[in-house]
Amino acid sequence: MINRPYLINFPKISDDRGNLTFIQNPDHVPFEIQRVYWIYDVPSGQTRGGHAFKTQEEIIITLSGSVEIYTSDGITEESITLNRPYVGLHVPKMTWRQLRNFSTNTVIMILSSDPFNEEDYIRDYSQFSTIR
Ligand code: TYD
């Protein structure tokens, strides 16, 4: 299956003062970043996501803490735990995602290929599986 989610390792510069990671166009991300947002203060037991995008691609990075990312292209389901600030999960377009099992104080940053557009969301799983 093409267009499955995959992990990207970003540069990690370590010295006595700690670690530094950076992302620079066009070296590390397979699209031009149009938007960055972040999610934090997620109450225990809450989930995020629960949708797919028609055209938008994203990269999810856990800056702090840990979160489980469930993805499905309508056929193949995958689940991965993200807990390293130098690793991103590329989530292709037309991929259902749910973010769950946030540990306390988790902060995730999402890089997006497009500006925000509610029209790009598919929030109904049965609709997603029909047009998939
Ligand atoms: P949503 O994408 O549903 O959050 P998540 O997928 O993380 O659970 O977005 C929540 C709300 O925030 C929704 O009303 C749309 C709004 N929003 C923006 O206005 N701009 C943005 O860039 C994003 C990501 C969301």
Side-chain angles (χ1 to χ4, degrees), residues 35 37 39 48-49 51 116 118 121 123:
R35 182 166 49 108
Y37 61 96
I39 292 171
R48 306 281 318 199
H51 53 71
F116 176 74
E118 184 63 40
Y121 280 75
R123 293 189 184 272

Side-chain angles (χ1 to χ4, degrees), residues 104-117:
T104 307
N105 293 330
T106 293
V107 180
I108 61 169
M109 179 173 73
I110 298 102
L111 315 177
S112 174
S113 64
D114 290 303
F116 176 74
N117 176 12

Side-chain angles (χ1 to χ4, degrees), residues 33-86:
I33 299 163
Q34 298 283 343
R35 182 166 49 108
V36 178
Y37 61 96
W38 46 101
I39 292 171
Y40 48 94
D41 292 346
V42 177
S44 174
Q46 282 289 356
T47 61
R48 306 281 318 199
H51 53 71
F53 293 115
K54 294 173 196 161
T55 60
Q56 195 184 133
E57 306 169 48
E58 291 190 331
I59 292 174
I60 303 171
I61 303 160
T62 307
L63 297 182
S64 182
S66 162
V67 64
E68 182 191 343
I69 318 280
Y70 162 88
T71 57
S72 171
D73 63 7
I75 299 167
T76 305
E77 297 177 295
E78 294 179 273
S79 207
I80 189 160
T81 297
L82 285 183
N83 54 13
R84 295 189 173 94
Y86 56 89

Side-chain angles (χ1 to χ4, degrees), residues 15-46:
D15 62 31
D16 294 344
R17 301 167 298 163
N19 299 326
L20 180 153
T21 287
F22 60 95
I23 297 167
Q24 173 174 291
N25 267 335
D27 301 341
H28 306 119
V29 170
F31 54 78
E32 194 173 316
I33 299 163
Q34 298 283 343
R35 182 166 49 108
V36 178
Y37 61 96
W38 46 101
I39 292 171
Y40 48 94
D41 292 346
V42 177
S44 174
Q46 282 289 356

